[in-house]
Amino acid sequence: NFATWLLRALTFLVVSCPCALVLSVPLTFFAGIGGASSRGILIKGSNFMEALATADTVVFDKTGTLTQGSFEVGGVHPSLVDEDQLLHLAAHVERNSTHPIAAALRQAYPDITDVSEIAGRGVVASVNGRRVAVGSTRLMDQVGAAWTLCEGHVDDGTVIHVAIDGSYAGHVVIADRVKPDAAEAIRSIRAEG
């Protein structure tokens, strides 16, 4: 456990270096890093602890940190086909993608050929003889589909646009659930200054 490890580290430092100042600085860092790790906080090294002590702004990668890290379909907004068909096409096109958003689409709607994944944009595939593009607005521009903004749902998650044979078919909102203790964690960090 941590106390045993700390005692061994202290013994090593006392034997190898009897100067109190040289002993106290590393010991403080060891204790801080060890204490943080026992609470699930990983700090790469003592220089990062020093930087953390003077930080006045914290930026989180929210996926998996403040959220559950499990995406799910939060809304389907068709414009060319019905909701079921839009979700069905999006799920089929994203079927072979390894992206977490693709996994959410596959789960929502568990004969694709000619699949091509375009990094940072999305996936294009043939589904029952129709060319279906699923991805970002940049992909929609690339395939010539006149996409529309997702009104009122932009803050709910990631918007995935769908085009069929170059015509805009609608969009699907993929959302992640916020962890129950995320708000309290942010309040606590803010209270600490």
Side-chain angles (χ1 to χ4, degrees):
N1 70 26
F2 178 68
T4 304
W5 176 86
L6 187 58
L7 184 57
R8 287 181 183 156
L10 180 58
T11 304
F12 170 76
L13 289 172
V14 168
V15 169
S16 65
C17 178
C19 175
L21 179 62
V22 174
L23 177 67
S24 65
V25 173
L27 185 58
T28 303
F29 286 125
F30 288 148
I33 291 170
S37 69
S38 70
R39 291 187 169 90
I41 301 167
L42 300 178
I43 300 173
K44 194 172 182 177
S46 59
N47 55 332
F48 294 103
M49 282 191 67
E50 288 184 57
L52 190 58
T54 61
D56 63 357
T57 303
V58 178
V59 179
F60 291 97
D61 171 10
K62 73 173 182 63
T63 303
T65 303
L66 299 176
T67 62
Q68 299 287 342
S70 58
F71 296 95
E72 57 189 32
V73 173
V76 180
H77 308 278
S79 62
L80 184 64
V81 294
D82 64 34
E83 282 187 21
D84 189 53
Q85 190 176 12
L86 181 68
L87 191 57
H88 174 84
L89 288 170
H92 276 306
V93 169
E94 294 278 356
R95 181 176 71 174
N96 296 316
S97 177
T98 57
H99 197 281
I101 288 176
L105 287 169
R106 284 193 305 271
Q107 285 177 342
Y109 211 106
D111 359 321
I112 281 193
T113 59
D114 194 24
V115 178
S116 59
E117 191 161 351
I118 302 162
R121 294 186 180 200
V123 179
V124 180
S126 291
V127 180
N128 298 326
R130 299 167 83 181
R131 197 78 179 136
V132 180
V134 179
S136 68
T137 55
R138 292 187 308 164
L139 181 61
M140 294 300 105
D141 291 340
Q142 183 177 331
V143 300
W147 54 274
T148 59
L149 286 175
C150 182
E151 298 294 328
H153 298 280
V154 177
D155 293 334
D156 294 344
T158 301
V159 178
I160 305 301
H161 298 275
V162 180
I164 302 170
D165 295 325
S167 297
Y168 188 67
H171 55 272
V172 178
V173 179
I174 306 294
D176 193 358
R177 286 176 280 143
V178 175
K179 287 183 178 178
D181 61 346
E184 180 56 36
I186 296 298
R187 277 193 292 276
S188 296
I189 290 169
R190 188 170 283 141
E192 292 289 328

